[in-house]
Amino acid sequence: MALAFDHRKIEAKWQKYWDDHHTFKTNDDSDKPKYYVLDMFPYPSGKGLHVGHPEGYTATDILARMKRMQGFEVLHPIGWDAFGLPAEQYALDTGHDPAQFTEQNIQTFKRQIKSLGFSYDWDREINTTDPDYYKWTQWIFLQLYKKGLAYMAEVPVNWCPALGTVLANEEVIDGKSERGGFPVIRKPMKQWMLKITAYADRLLSDLDELDWPESIKEMQRNWIGRSEGAEVVFQVDGHPGKSVTVFTTRPDTLFGATYMVLAPEHKLVDKIVTAEQRNDVDAYRQEVAAKSDLERTDLNKTKTGAFTGAYALNPVNGRKIPIWIADYVLITYGSGAIMAVPGHDSRDYEFAQKFGLPIIEVVAGGDLSKEAFIGDGKHVNSEFLNGLGKKEAIMKMIAWLEERQVGKRKVTYRLRDWLFSRQRYWGEPIPVIHMEDGSMKPVPEEELPLRLPKTENIRPSGTGESPLANDTDWIHVVDPETGMKGRRETNTMPQWAGSSWYFLRYVDPHNKKQLADPEKLKRWLSVDLYVGGAEHAVLHLLYARFWHKALYDLGVVPTKEPFHKLVNQGMILGSNHEKMSKSKGNVVNPDDIVTSHGADTLRLYEMFMGPIDAAVAWSEKGIDGSRRFLDRIWRLYVDVNGKLSEAISETAVPDTEFEKVYHQTVKKVTEDYEAMHFNTAIAQLMTFINEAYKQEQIPKTMAEGFIQMLSPVAPHIGEEIWSLLGHDQSVEKSAWPSYDVHKLAEKQIEVIVQVNGKIRARLTVDKGTSKEALEKRAMLEAAIAQRLAGKTVKKVVAVPDKLVNIVVR
RNA sequence: GCGGGUGUGGCGGAAUUGGCAGACGCGCUAGAUUUAGGAUCUAGUGUUUUGCAACGUGGGGGUUCGAGUCCCUUCACCCGCACCA
């Protein structure tokens, strides 16, 4: 039996030690520089931890542990994002109480996370379903309400019949619910909205300051979807006082507008439709209403529409143009109406072709018999714009419109207000009372938290009322001041509410009086490093930025942005390179690996698999290899009797080669951890061990330095060997090793000699040997002289410490 | 369709500012040790070739003394958005 360490014993021992000694407790009052490193807190699902979780958690843990050793005061917390649909669905399906079921799941997650040895400050654990926590979620909502950022509106919403609730735009993907993949339909309903659009410009422009992956920033930019253009007002012919406002990015093409299109849901349609067209229009609107979002967009390649019989007057030349309705114009964007310029917009072109509407060229350069011309060119058929390019023409047209008050410059966003209410039980109650007289009254702040009542029937009614509507005791209230009767809001908040500010609560998790002490917020914000999955690109990460900015405006938080640096960990795929799923049978359970190989091995392997942000396939052999490396370290340090090996010696004198490798290792590992290049850092640790095996003796200081560098990745074995090295304090309390630049560099360097770019010889020279000397030495090499014989040297390139390249003919 | 990204051995992946392609690990081969091993140690391992050498970073072209790296073009795959006026 080969020597191997007993991971079960060691891991349990050190986990207990850390707990007993509160090794990772953060001190708010220390003078050290701060480092706030955060994981996206998990949603505690019934399935337990997935191998994807430890990837990001290990990455942040390595940084947290290294930074502590480097003298930082580190805030590294964890908690539970525990409200939300999946647990509730499961509870419904199985007859569980969601509160109980969630608590159970949290215990499972906690046990699993603890078994992996992460250095969280467990005294700061939070839970979004805890009334002491959601008190402040509700408090934030009230502040938004008071600022006019939370309002009720009757809007066409995304209604998901299967889930019995409405969903935000961000939660609908390809016409289906993000959770569960159920169909979603459009339905007008009165709902709570948060005015995220008021922050559209700041959410967009402040992205530039963030150290985030470019792809995530780009997704947010696209989601916000700023576009610049103009609003143009068209009078409706024969209906004095009635007008249609359109938004266009190409006001320069106004002379080419040959018809208008309203969204089928547009309010004006009923007022302007002519008697003879009414049947057509009604039939078309019915047809559209029956279509799902998916059918309206994805599947709909051919244009459809109906003529209203009415005409609008083009403000620029008074020309009468027909008004149509068509579902390629969306009621949710701009003003729900467009001016159609078929010559220079491919959608309008397609529509005009199909319905035989006129096409006029106003920008030269294309071939309108084939397709619309989108590009830039000289304007034609456009009176005062003729001869101008696109940019000047746009400016001139806007000036013209503004002068006559028939239009103006306008910026439009694709971003919609955030639909905030859910007709579900398992969420924070919205703290508002609807009074008898129709007014709304916020629940007084001193009455918060407004607790979610315990109730038997949590099934969504399906009518658009929350299950809370069944709880008559809870619902009915009487205003103590006026005696007026009222009814509580029965909708709850979406899952994204609690996660939009949780990183603030970690800073001061037990504060009874405030969301968090402003002084502490000042000390800890913003988050220095935030790691999590890319699936939250436009959900959590956009909502959290919005709330943070609103709180910034209220003076609650001291920074404009919550997360300075963001990193997305990649997905861990099954060994068949497919996404892990039960049905494919390729799921790896972290518990099994912790039992068979140990937590240190799992952590090491997940960091060694590849770059942190890449999707990499799981490999059985790979995890064996990581375990083998730890065994190899153990055998180097520990003898058969479990004592420190005799090879590790205080008096050993290292040879310069080994010394160099050590200093290189300190340099590379320190830099690579900082840059989150964990796979290459580990490769360097392996190189060091390979070299160490070749030594008769290893100086103790180097042996210690190695363990310090290993311990952020493999903390249990790190602590165990550290104590064998004679330390009675955790390795966490030691100072990070440093390297000596002078010991890194060799005095002698190998320089390659190329002839026509091909390597023909190698020279060993003193470091810093001049170009001229290198050239001379190269020419004298036998192998080189041979190749130069009978040829003409055209050019010699010499780069000191690198190479000599001789070009011959 | 639009936007972003990725293509390197049998596999996961390394390669500052253009300067020895393939670090490290897995797998494989051989040897040592062992009663035995799927344990451990040592050596080897891009392809072709007996060798010299030639070829080699998805394909094609270019810039350069020199290209995985820069430019053009093309193909494949992945992710996001998708009638946004």
Side-chain angles (χ1 to χ4, degrees), chain A residues 27 40 46 50 66 84 172 219 228 237 248 257 311 429 476 538 554 562 582 650 700-701:
Chain A
N27 177 6
M40 285 185 188
H50 179 270
M66 176 172 75
V172 180
M219 273 192 244
E228 280 182 43
D237 189 40
T248 176
Y311 290 83
H476 297 293
V538 290
L554 286 162
K582 233 179 207 166
E650 308 240 14
K700 194 171 176 206
T701 50

Side-chain angles (χ1 to χ4, degrees), chain A residues 243-258:
Chain A
S243 64
V244 185
T245 301
V246 303
F247 173 72
T248 176
T249 53
R250 293 293 304 275
D252 59 310
T253 61
L254 194 44
F255 285 98
T258 55

Side-chain angles (χ1 to χ4, degrees), chain A residues 437-481:
Chain A
D437 65 354
S439 67
M440 272 195 284
K441 191 182 169 178
V443 172
E445 282 177 22
E446 55 278 12
E447 285 179 26
L448 297 182
L450 173 59
R451 286 170 189 269
L452 183 64
K454 276 219 172 294
T455 157
E456 288 297 305
N457 184 7
I458 60 161
R459 194 164 292 279
S461 62
T463 60
E465 274 241 277
S466 150
L468 289 179
N470 303 326
D471 192 327
T472 44
D473 288 346
W474 183 78
I475 275 194
H476 297 293
V477 286
V478 176
D479 189 326
E481 289 165 33

Side-chain angles (χ1 to χ4, degrees), chain A residues 653-689:
Chain A
V653 180
D655 68 54
T656 46
E657 190 54 31
F658 183 62
E659 199 172 33
K660 191 182 92 192
V661 171
Y662 173 77
H663 288 273
Q664 277 174 342
T665 302
V666 177
K667 180 174 195 290
K668 182 149 180 65
V669 171
T670 307
E671 289 172 358
D672 281 357
Y673 280 174
E674 183 75 46
M676 302 183 81
H677 296 159
F678 304 114
N679 55 334
T680 52
I682 292 165
Q684 183 63 37
L685 292 174
M686 289 172 169
T687 302
F688 176 82
I689 290 297

Side-chain angles (χ1 to χ4, degrees), chain A residues 103-298:
Chain A
E103 183 50 35
Q104 221 176 15
N105 292 347
I106 288 176
Q107 289 317 317
T108 304
F109 263 71
K110 191 166 176 176
R111 176 188 58 74
Q112 292 185 302
I113 285 177
K114 284 216 162 191
S115 80
L116 288 163
F118 297 122
S119 63
Y120 294 121
D121 179 354
W122 286 99
D123 297 336
R124 293 175 188 252
E125 179 182 355
I126 58 165
N127 176 347
T128 55
T129 66
D130 179 349
D132 286 339
Y133 179 87
Y134 69 69
K135 167 179 177 173
W136 298 105
T137 311
Q138 290 171 330
W139 180 85
I140 295 170
F141 177 86
L142 290 183
Q143 310 314 307
L144 297 177
Y145 178 74
K146 285 176 195 163
K147 263 193 92 182
L149 291 170
Y151 63 95
M152 286 196 93
E154 169 99 20
V155 287
V157 297
N158 306 299
W159 170 254
C160 178
L163 293 172
T165 185
V166 300
L167 297 169
N169 287 344
E170 290 81 2
E171 292 173 303
V172 180
I173 294 162
D174 294 338
K176 292 188 211 121
S177 64
E178 186 239 354
R179 295 276 185 184
F182 301 111
V184 170
I185 59 167
R186 285 257 160 210
K187 188 172 167 180
M189 284 174 88
K190 196 171 185 190
Q191 297 293 340
W192 281 98
M193 310 287 288
L194 295 190
K195 214 176 204 164
I196 191 170
T197 52
Y199 285 81
D201 52 343
R202 284 163 66 187
L203 288 168
L204 186 68
S205 60
D206 288 348
L207 278 173
D208 297 339
E209 301 167 18
L210 298 177
D211 183 3
W212 286 20
E214 205 43 52
S215 61
I216 299 281
K217 291 208 243 180
E218 202 51 35
M219 273 192 244
Q220 292 213 347
R221 285 190 193 109
N222 291 340
W223 191 262
I224 295 165
R226 180 190 151 98
S227 56
E228 280 182 43
E231 241 175 35
V232 185
V233 182
F234 287 69
Q235 298 302 323
V236 182
D237 189 40
H239 290 81
K242 287 206 168 50
S243 64
V244 185
T245 301
V246 303
F247 173 72
T248 176
T249 53
R250 293 293 304 275
D252 59 310
T253 61
L254 194 44
F255 285 98
T258 55
Y259 63 102
M260 290 190 82
V261 184
L262 307 185
E265 301 89 345
H266 199 286
K267 284 194 183 98
L268 203 65
V269 176
D270 272 331
K271 293 173 187 145
I272 60 168
V273 64
T274 57
E276 53 273 27
Q277 289 299 316
R278 182 164 289 278
N279 278 344
D280 278 7
V281 165
D282 285 349
Y284 181 69
R285 290 170 98 185
Q286 251 169 33
E287 187 189 319
V288 168
K291 285 188 198 173
S292 71
D293 268 21
L294 198 63
E295 288 166 321
R296 265 185 81 159
T297 57
D298 205 32

